[in-house]
Every structure is written in C-alpha cells, then in structure tokens.
C-alpha cells in the first residue's frame, strides 16, 4: 500500500498503490492503441471505435535518447536540491516511448542501456515527499 506521506506530482499519471510503480495510461478497446498519459478517447485515425480503458504501463525498456538539463524545471516539478539532470526517452516494453529523468551518473549514460521505471523524490519536506516517475539502471535486464 502507498505511504500517505508520499504523493505523485501528477497523481493521474503515476500509480503508487503496489510494490512496483506503474504509469497510468489508456488502451483503446477496439484497436488496442496504447496512450500515455491517459486520454479520453482513441485518437487513432484508422480506428472506428473511440472507447478507452485505464491501463497500467510497466516500465522496463532501453534508452532511446537523452539530454542533460542544465536549467531549473518549471514550478510544477520543484526539485530540491536542484542540480543538472539527465532527461531521456525510453522505449518501454509496452511499445511506447516515455520521457523521464534518468537517475544514473551522467558519465555512465549510454543509448541502448537497460532501464526500469522507478519513483524519484523531487522534494522531501514538511513530512511528505513529492515524487515523479523516472528511470534507473535495470541491473536485472536480459541482454
């Protein structure tokens, strides 16, 4: 169960209710197109149906691309203490490309490295932690 002192910066996008975090997306019941973040209806122009259902997206994948952010993020993401961080695009097993912080030493980050979804504390103050999704090195990945 989730610790009530931990909240997601965007509660509709990140599930903290089980042992492993998951992203909250949508899947079309007709064409099976997967979306992250959640959408109200299917946007696939080839699909005649528009009904979507909530879907949990597991987060194992490989780094597709990344950049080092050397400026403070917007106020919605209050990182304290702030320091430059890696922001990456990760090809996750579910077939999506998800953006998130890559929590690894910057000198060790490489395209294609195996990553897994994790939560990252952005601001830990006043007895409650604010977290977001991010990716960490997946030491248990199969080559």
């Amino acid at each position: 169960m989730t610790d009530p002192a931990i909240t997601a910066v965007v509660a509709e996008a990140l599930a903290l209710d089980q042992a492993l975090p998951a992203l909250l997306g949508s899947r079309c019941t007709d064409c099976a197109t997967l979306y992250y973040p959640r959408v109200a209806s299917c946007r696939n122009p080839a699909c005649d149906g528009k009904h979507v259902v909530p879907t949990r997206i597991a987060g194992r994948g490989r780094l597709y691309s990344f950049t080092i952010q050397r400026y403070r993020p917007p106020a919605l993401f209050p990182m304290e203490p702030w320091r430059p961080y890696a922001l990456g695009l990760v090809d996750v097993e579910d077939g999506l490309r998800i953006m998130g912080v890559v929590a690894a030493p910057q000198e060790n980050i490489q395209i294609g490295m195996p990553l897994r979804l994790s939560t990252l504390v952005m601001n830990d103050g006043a007895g409650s932690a604010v977290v977001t999704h991010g990716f960490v090195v997946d030491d248990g990945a199969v080559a």
Side-chain angles (χ1 to χ4, degrees):
M1 217 51 195
T2 303
D3 181 341
I6 299 174
T7 57
V9 69
V10 180
E12 300 81 22
L14 180 62
L16 301 172
D17 59 344
Q18 295 182 6
L20 295 175
L23 298 172
L24 298 174
S26 304
R27 184 179 298 277
C28 178
T29 58
D30 295 299
C31 70
T33 298
L34 183 62
Y35 297 96
Y36 177 79
R38 288 181 178 175
V39 295
S41 66
C42 183
R43 299 181 297 201
N44 180 349
C47 181
D48 291 330
K50 298 299 175 192
H51 183 28
V52 295
V53 293
T55 302
R56 294 174 74 92
I57 301 169
R60 286 191 117 133
R62 298 213 172 252
L63 185 63
Y64 174 79
S65 183
F66 74 98
T67 186
I68 304 300
Q69 300 296 304
R70 300 189 187 283
Y71 59 89
R72 282 181 140 341
L76 177 63
F77 302 98
M79 299 172 102
E80 293 299 338
W82 182 85
R83 64 186 176 278
Y85 60 97
L87 187 61
L89 282 174
V90 179
D91 286 329
V92 296
E93 291 172 341
D94 290 318
L96 292 177
R97 192 168 282 160
I98 305 289
M99 184 180 298
V101 173
V102 178
Q106 293 174 12
E107 62 274 7
N108 295 345
I109 297 174
Q110 296 179 10
I111 302 299
M113 68 190 298
L115 298 171
R116 66 176 167 78
L117 183 69
S118 183
T119 55
L120 303 172
V121 176
M122 297 175 56
N123 194 340
D124 190 9
S128 67
V130 176
V131 298
T132 190
H133 76 276
F135 294 92
V136 295
V137 176
D138 188 357
D139 292 328
V142 178

